[in-house]
Amino acid sequence: MEAVSVPAAEGASMQKESYYKDVREHLKALEERGKLVRVKQRINKDTELMPLVRWQFRGLEESQRKAFFFQNVFDVKGKSYSMPVTVGTLAASTEIYSIGLKCKPEEIHERWTRAQAHPIAPVQVERGPVQEVIWKGDDLLNGHGLDMLPVPISTPGFDNGPYLTSANWVTKDPDTGIFNIGNYRSQIKAPNRNGGLFLGQHMGEHWRRCKAKGIPLEAAIVIGVVPAVAYAATSKLPYDFDEYRLAGGLAGEPMEVVRCQTVDLHVPATAEIVIEGNISTEWIEPEGPFGEYPGYMGHRGVAPFMDVTCITHRREAIYTALMSQFPPSESSKIKHTGTEKVIYKYLRFDSGNAAVLDVAIHDEVSGSGQAFCVIKMKKPTAGDVWRALNASAGYVGSYAKICIAVDEDIDIWDPAMINWAICFNVRP
């Protein structure tokens, strides 16, 4: 990745107001909007923290959901942590998601469409706050490894340990050098060792290409990023689309990145925490179980692992977790909100299907998350309809399982109206 200047054509969509420079500015914005709850009392990260946050997804209307900031965290052994924990800050609701983009909820669609059409490349800087504190070598085994992070247990009583859930993995293709940022769970296994469930994803392709060369895959896990990076990392983009460029498009300005300390990668300069390391392409080991997004327990299997070489973080770092599990959840909201805009752009512009007006992926009512995709179309021919359905069903990793096309008079955000259309407008 090289330092670049933004051409006038690409910079034309930049906002007048600058984007958040870091997580702390974003948290301040949430608090000013009444969307952040500060919890000062002690809370057990292994038994209480995630179940407390999950309540609001089971019993409250979406408009009532908040982000949480836990200031006093300890574990089942009584160990206290200096880092606070945030949950729900990225996508507890559509409104919170829109605050992350500095726009109104109804402007999210236009923001995503514009970002994909006008991505903005990152710029490399010499130094950044994310490397204010650096731990290497023996430090990692003496209290400054992964065990210093207050990682909550997502599904107490079922998960086999703490997992990083807002883990933005940064890797690059060993042949092209194109970066990928993907959000994949990561099991904490030792102060200097963690798992990674990414095979089958774009990062998995990087791993396979490194395996063919007989070399390990260099990786960095970034925790505590500005929302634009997190939203780009959780969307389903084409393989060769650098998420840093999409994040720049979403923010309306380039992402500043710094070079890692021990691996040849670049990470957001103002992030809170970075975990650097090497992933063996020779060995894999047991991983799981973990409570996954469809509402089931992901079974124990085997997956690659990372040997940690360095951890860097800001002074007084803030740990960010993502609320996953059965939809609706923060995980389902952050994934479907971005990906439905990606699929819309793919159908309307990349596939040249002018009949496509909008795309919705449901999680709030149907509980189906990414599996249920509805396409609104205007005066389509039969060919237009089947092109849209086949293209959406075959999109990256067959993201949607159930694909439905409706006319423009159907509200694609209303599951009851969609079911009405299926019952009375379809001849099976």
Side-chain angles (χ1 to χ4, degrees), residues 28-98:
K28 182 180 178 181
L30 289 171
E31 194 159 31
E32 290 173 348
R33 298 279 290 274
K35 290 297 180 180
L36 183 70
V37 176
R38 288 185 178 268
V39 180
K40 297 180 180 180
Q41 68 189 71
R42 279 167 57 82
I43 190 164
N44 191 322
K45 74 175 186 64
D46 296 331
T47 61
E48 301 173 317
L49 193 152
M50 283 300 198
L52 173 62
V53 177
R54 187 173 296 116
W55 269 356
Q56 68 173 349
F57 290 93
R58 302 273 71 84
L60 295 180
E61 294 293 330
E62 181 182 353
S63 61
Q64 296 177 287
R65 295 182 203 151
K66 303 289 182 68
F68 285 80
F69 188 99
F70 297 97
Q71 299 178 198
N72 195 346
V73 179
F74 68 100
D75 64 17
V76 290
K77 296 182 180 180
K79 175 183 175 180
S80 295
Y81 292 81
S82 60
M83 293 184 191
V85 175
T86 68
V87 189
T89 57
L90 295 167
S93 67
T94 299
E95 183 180 359
I96 287 176
Y97 190 104
S98 70

Side-chain angles (χ1 to χ4, degrees), residues 48-255:
E48 301 173 317
L49 193 152
M50 283 300 198
L52 173 62
V53 177
R54 187 173 296 116
W55 269 356
Q56 68 173 349
F57 290 93
R58 302 273 71 84
L60 295 180
E61 294 293 330
E62 181 182 353
S63 61
Q64 296 177 287
R65 295 182 203 151
K66 303 289 182 68
F68 285 80
F69 188 99
F70 297 97
Q71 299 178 198
N72 195 346
V73 179
F74 68 100
D75 64 17
V76 290
K77 296 182 180 180
K79 175 183 175 180
S80 295
Y81 292 81
S82 60
M83 293 184 191
V85 175
T86 68
V87 189
T89 57
L90 295 167
S93 67
T94 299
E95 183 180 359
I96 287 176
Y97 190 104
S98 70
I99 294 172
L101 286 181
K102 281 198 168 185
C103 70
K104 298 176 182 178
E106 59 270 21
E107 296 171 343
I108 293 174
H109 178 87
E110 189 276 335
R111 180 66 61 88
W112 263 92
T113 302
R114 187 180 66 190
Q116 294 176 83
H118 302 284
I120 299 176
V123 293
Q124 184 178 342
V125 295
E126 290 298 317
R127 61 183 63 86
V130 72
Q131 295 179 346
E132 288 175 339
V133 182
I134 300 172
W135 306 106
K136 299 178 183 178
D138 292 340
D139 293 331
L140 300 174
L141 298 175
N142 290 305
H144 299 293
L146 298 174
D147 52 342
M148 73 175 169
L149 304 179
V151 184
I153 291 182
S154 291
T155 323
F158 295 90
D159 293 353
N160 64 331
Y163 284 74
L164 306 174
T165 51
S166 189
N168 301 287
W169 292 76
V170 178
T171 56
K172 64 181 179 180
D173 186 299
D175 297 315
T176 66
I178 296 175
F179 276 73
N180 179 76
I181 312 175
N183 186 287
Y184 317 119
R185 81 187 194 207
S186 177
Q187 179 184 349
I188 303 299
K189 298 186 173 184
N192 61 349
R193 192 185 190 92
N194 59 287
L197 192 70
F198 54 78
L199 295 182
Q201 306 289 342
H202 291 166
M203 181 177 169
E205 180 61 25
H206 291 179
W207 185 84
R208 285 188 290 273
R209 294 187 181 192
C210 285
K211 181 178 178 65
K213 295 176 178 291
I215 59 174
L217 173 64
E218 293 185 323
I221 300 174
V222 189
I223 300 170
V225 294
V226 292
V229 173
Y231 298 160
T234 50
S235 62
K236 295 295 182 182
L237 296 171
Y239 175 75
D240 56 354
F241 197 124
D242 184 338
E243 280 82 359
Y244 277 129
R245 298 177 69 240
L246 175 60
L250 289 171
E253 58 190 54
M255 294 290 105

Side-chain angles (χ1 to χ4, degrees), residues 302-328:
V302 290
F305 59 88
M306 183 166 82
D307 290 315
V308 179
T309 55
C310 179
I311 297 178
T312 72
H313 61 82
R314 298 184 64 155
R315 295 188 182 92
E316 301 181 351
I318 299 169
Y319 179 84
T320 300
L322 197 66
M323 175 80 258
S324 190
Q325 314 292 295
F326 182 80

Side-chain angles (χ1 to χ4, degrees), residues 1 25 40 95 122 130 199 249 259 278 373 384 425:
M1 183 182 302
E25 278 195 359
K40 297 180 180 180
E95 183 180 359
V130 72
L199 295 182
R259 190 183 187 282
N278 293 296
C373 177
D384 291 334
N425 292 357

